[in-house]
Amino acid sequence: MERILRDYYQNNAKKLHRTVDKILLKYGGISDKDLDDFYSLANEVFVEVMGKFDDSQSFDAFLYSCLSNRIKTEITRRNREKRKADRMSVPIDTPVGEDGDLTLTDLIADDFIIEQELIEKKENGFSRGVLAYLDRLSDLQKEVLRLNMAGYLPGEVREELHISAKQYEDCYAAIRSYRNVQLIFVNE
């Protein structure tokens, strides 16, 4: 038993870690963050295997089999937890409220307000960044932005411009997209 312990735990448990790494390769590997968890799990399994081992088979094969089963169980458990969280998630563009005019995006607190940036002018009119941003928007997106700045609710904007909810969402997404908004700051 002492020889087995020495083999697996010399050089910072290198042999045990290699065994775990070999098993994890079957599952496509794992992030470094989670690797320590599986090494700790391997230590637990090793102790259990040492208690159950009876010389009727190779220790390496017995350990590998037990480790493989435990790692598979742990990966299954973790994936189940992830799927449970995915089922509980809600898309950010989910309509909320009685009339469905607002989305979760509208309700998320944010201290950057694109409309406020557009209202604030520099001495000579709009800044180069704001002009570059406006130039990137389509005419419809500019109209949606103008009505939003005037205080219209999403349903009122759609009605005023005779557009569908999907068209409004697409325009609103373009108005707030990083690709477009970043122009305000890049061209200052």
Side-chain angles (χ1 to χ4, degrees):
M1 286 295 180
E2 218 169 288
R3 181 192 56 78
I4 292 172
L5 267 170
R6 191 176 40 256
D7 285 351
Y8 276 92
Y9 281 95
Q10 70 184 1
N11 296 331
N12 258 346
K14 189 173 183 175
K15 185 173 181 180
L16 183 62
H17 290 182
R18 276 188 306 191
T19 306
V20 170
D21 294 341
K22 184 177 176 183
I23 294 168
L24 289 173
L25 279 176
K26 289 189 215 175
Y27 300 100
I30 197 154
S31 71
D32 288 340
K33 178 183 149 227
D34 294 328
L35 196 54
D36 281 340
D37 291 344
F38 284 96
Y39 290 157
S40 295
L41 181 68
N43 287 327
E44 292 173 22
V45 171
F46 188 87
V47 170
E48 291 172 15
V49 167
M50 289 290 284
K52 294 178 184 177
F53 183 63
D54 63 4
D55 285 332
S56 65
Q57 61 181 330
S58 152
F59 181 83
D60 293 341
F62 185 55
L63 176 64
Y64 186 89
S65 174
C66 292
L67 270 175
S68 184
N69 288 336
R70 183 72 71 84
I71 287 173
K72 180 180 179 182
T73 301
E74 179 62 16
I75 288 175
T76 301
R77 186 192 67 74
R78 288 176 182 220
N79 287 337
R80 187 177 299 125
E81 290 296 317
K82 288 178 190 174
R83 285 191 306 272
K84 190 186 307 178
D86 287 345
R87 284 192 306 266
M88 294 170 31
S89 64
V90 178
I92 197 161
D93 59 350
T94 301
V96 293
E98 292 177 14
D99 54 5
D101 279 348
L102 297 173
T103 64
L104 290 175
T105 306
D106 300 324
L107 301 176
I108 294 175
D110 186 5
D111 47 347
F112 175 76
I113 303 169
I114 187 71
E115 292 84 354
Q116 189 64 37
E117 282 292 318
L118 296 176
I119 291 171
E120 293 176 4
K121 294 183 176 183
K122 293 208 172 184
E123 292 175 13
N124 299 338
F126 288 122
S127 69
R128 284 182 304 183
V130 170
L131 290 174
Y133 166 77
L134 290 172
D135 192 46
R136 170 107 17 118
L137 298 180
S138 71
D139 290 339
L140 180 59
Q141 292 164 349
K142 288 177 190 171
E143 275 303 300
V144 168
L145 178 61
R146 183 184 65 76
L147 292 172
N148 278 331
M149 288 173 55
Y152 284 68
L153 292 173
E156 296 170 330
V157 172
R158 292 192 311 264
E159 188 177 310
E160 179 76 21
L161 298 177
H162 306 289
I163 60 175
S164 69
K166 174 74 171 124
Q167 287 172 304
Y168 174 81
E169 289 170 16
D170 290 346
C171 288
Y172 194 74
I175 289 167
R176 298 196 54 92
S177 78
Y178 175 77
R179 180 178 168 263
N180 292 335
V181 172
Q182 58 107 10
L183 292 173
I184 294 172
F185 304 106
V186 172
N187 293 306
E188 285 297 316

